[in-house]
Every structure is written in C-alpha cells, then in structure tokens.
Amino acid sequence: MPFEERRTSTRTRIIKLGAKLFIEEGYSKTSFSRISKELDISLGNITFYFPTKEHLLAVLCNELCSFQRELMEKEAGEGYSNLLSYCLELTSMTAICEEDDVSRDFFHAIYTSPMSLDIIRDNDTEKTRDVFCEFRPEWSDRKWIEAENLVSGIEYGTIMTREERTPLALQIEGGLDAIMTLYGVPEELRRQKIDKVLCMDYRALGRRLLAEFKDYVEKINEEALKQATARKKHNPWRE
C-alpha cells in the first residue's frame, strides 16, 4: 500500500479490520495487538484514534443502528408494518445469539458497554417513538427516554437468556410481550404480532440478517476507505 494511502486511511483501516474481527471472531477475542500486527501499525497509532477497545466497538454499534434503520425502511417498502419490523428485529437478534457464540459475545459487549449502550438507547428512543406513538400519544420526551432505559434491559435479558428450560420461542414471546405491554399495545394486537413472528423460521431469519449485516459493514467501511484515499490524493498534506 502506498505511503500516502497508509497515512490518510489509518483510522478507517482500523475500523474496517476491527469491525470484521468483532463480528467474525468475537469482541472478547479481538485485541489491539492483533489489529496492530495485521495492519502493521503501532499500538500507539491505534490508541491515538481509539483510546480503548470500547471506543472502537462504539463505531460498530453505530453501524449496527444504521443497518437496522435501513432494514426497517426496506421492510416498510415490502409491506411490513413498523410494529412487525420491530418485533422481527428483536426476534432475529435473539435467535442468532442462541445459536452463535460469536454473535452472542458481540451483543453482550454492546449492551454492557456504557458507551455503546448510550448509542443504542439514543437510537432506539427515536425508533420506538415512531413505532409506538399511536399507543402512547400522551407521553413526554422524558417518558420515552425512561421507557427505553427499561426496554434496553428487557432486550438484553431476552437476547442473553440461554437455558435448556427456557425454549427460544418462549424467550422471544416473553421479551416481545413485555416490551409491547410497556408501550401500551393492546393484548389482541400483541398476540397477533407474536404469533406471526413465531410462525416464521426465525432461526433462518437470524442467520440471514447476520450475513446481511456483515456485508453492510464491509461495504460501508470499504467505501469509507476509498473516500479517505481519494481525499489524501487530492490533498497530500491532509492527515
């Protein structure tokens, strides 16, 4: 790789490799030493851009939120209601975490990292307002924030539960029912949406969305790398 390209794209290259390793090998197993070795850059160079691994995780968490927003928009175009799309999001995450330890490790990391959890809560507060506003028209901005603080805990409990005495379908049902109840969704409609997602092949859905997320992350980080290289070639003095 040319010297100019290496200088200008260091941060983007760190993100690109870090994201790939977090998704494919696990957050816990990924170290800055590994990234340093594979990219042939110093640890000091990495920590200049990302003081801790948690800072790098936050970038990928933002990419996850962007992916989920785009997915909901796509599903709306295919005739899915926002409520059903919301249910499918939690269902797919729960399913993939139940059968894939690497994904489980990744979601555990983002829900237990204060930095990433703040990103999730900020993003999901806006999303849940769009999905559930018809059921809670009287809620203030503060109430939506407070509700999301509770919901993120329900999501984490749903995703991380993995015991033989708690079948996956029961995890999904319990999590969705608790969240929709909190947001005032009528019982009949709650039951309708839960039954609909449980009739799907939600394990296959989880695997498909994981594959799509990996492709999405690779695509946007590759594009960012190309743009960083182009900027440097246009202005060789820019860091």
Side-chain angles (χ1 to χ4, degrees):
M1 180 180 292
F3 179 67
E4 284 188 357
E5 184 176 345
R6 290 184 64 179
R7 287 185 61 191
T8 194
S9 61
T10 297
R11 182 178 185 277
T12 308
R13 291 168 61 221
I14 294 169
I15 293 171
K16 188 172 184 291
L17 179 60
K20 177 180 174 65
L21 293 175
F22 287 167
I23 295 173
E24 295 183 356
E25 299 187 17
Y27 176 79
S28 299
K29 292 183 178 179
T30 300
S31 67
F32 276 177
S33 296
R34 167 80 179 276
I35 295 173
S36 171
K37 183 177 180 180
E38 291 205 18
L39 294 181
D40 192 24
I41 59 178
S42 69
L43 282 172
N45 211 352
I46 294 176
T47 56
F48 173 79
Y49 294 104
F50 302 100
T52 68
K53 197 167 68 165
E54 186 179 0
H55 287 79
L56 183 54
L57 177 67
V59 176
L60 184 56
C61 184
N62 265 314
E63 294 178 353
L64 173 65
C65 291
S66 296
F67 169 75
Q68 290 173 336
R69 284 195 297 272
E70 289 191 14
L71 183 63
M72 182 170 284
E73 291 173 1
K74 175 185 174 183
E75 290 173 342
E78 296 173 350
Y80 287 73
S81 68
N82 282 343
L83 180 55
L84 180 58
S85 292
Y86 182 90
C87 292
L88 288 173
E89 182 180 299
L90 181 59
T91 298
S92 62
M93 289 193 299
T94 305
I96 197 60
C97 286
E98 198 267 347
E99 65 178 40
D100 182 70
D101 287 338
V102 172
S103 295
R104 182 180 175 83
D105 178 72
F106 168 64
F107 279 103
H108 169 76
I110 64 173
Y111 272 90
T112 56
S113 159
M115 194 178 304
S116 292
L117 184 56
D118 281 346
I119 293 171
I120 290 172
R121 285 173 170 169
D122 287 345
N123 176 81
D124 285 4
T125 296
E126 180 180 348
K127 179 167 59 182
T128 53
R129 187 196 295 265
D130 289 339
V131 174
F132 298 106
C133 61
E134 65 178 291
F135 307 111
R136 294 298 192 187
E138 77 285 0
W139 275 12
S140 64
D141 291 346
R142 184 62 197 170
K143 188 64 178 179
W144 287 103
I145 293 171
E146 291 172 350
E148 175 52 35
N149 289 341
L150 294 174
V151 167
S152 60
I154 297 172
E155 289 174 344
Y156 178 72
T158 303
I159 292 169
M160 290 297 118
T161 297
R162 186 166 64 178
E163 300 177 1
E164 290 184 1
R165 64 178 180 272
T166 309
L168 179 57
L170 187 58
Q171 292 174 229
I172 294 168
E173 179 179 0
L176 292 177
D177 190 59
I179 292 171
M180 287 192 286
T181 298
L182 178 63
Y183 285 119
V185 179
E187 182 178 0
E188 183 178 353
L189 184 56
R190 294 200 311 269
R191 191 69 260 163
Q192 180 187 56
K193 299 304 179 184
I194 291 171
D195 288 345
K196 189 173 184 65
V197 298
L198 291 180
C199 286
M200 297 180 178
D201 187 347
Y202 42 82
R203 292 181 184 274
L205 174 67
R207 290 190 290 269
R208 178 174 64 80
L209 292 185
L210 176 61
E212 290 181 4
F213 177 53
K214 289 179 179 178
D215 290 343
Y216 174 84
V217 169
E218 177 69 20
K219 178 181 177 181
I220 64 172
N221 287 324
E222 183 62 32
E223 182 60 31
L225 184 59
K226 290 178 181 177
Q227 291 177 1
T229 301
R231 286 195 299 269
K232 181 60 181 179
K233 288 180 178 179
H234 179 71
N235 181 5
W237 296 105
R238 181 172 180 169
E239 289 296 333

